[in-house]
Amino acid sequence: MKALFFSMALGIGLALWGAEPQAGVDQLMAAGKLAGEQIYSILH
């Protein structure tokens, strides 16, 4: 569950940090999914 929240926070941070509004949604989803997978593999 921590990985989910962390990945969401990371995705939102990346989206706010320099993405255009529409691209921000795609970046948020991609970054969140990638971070979630990486963290999940580390923790398990």
Side-chain angles (χ1 to χ4, degrees):
M1 207 52 158
K2 288 182 181 178
L4 176 63
F5 289 123
F6 183 80
S7 64
M8 288 173 60
L10 179 62
I12 292 169
L14 289 174
L16 291 175
W17 179 37
E20 299 175 0
Q22 186 57 44
V25 177
D26 296 331
Q27 258 193 341
L28 186 147
M29 300 301 282
K33 184 172 185 287
L34 181 63
E37 290 173 352
Q38 288 178 340
I39 294 168
Y40 185 84
S41 67
I42 290 172
L43 295 177
H44 293 85

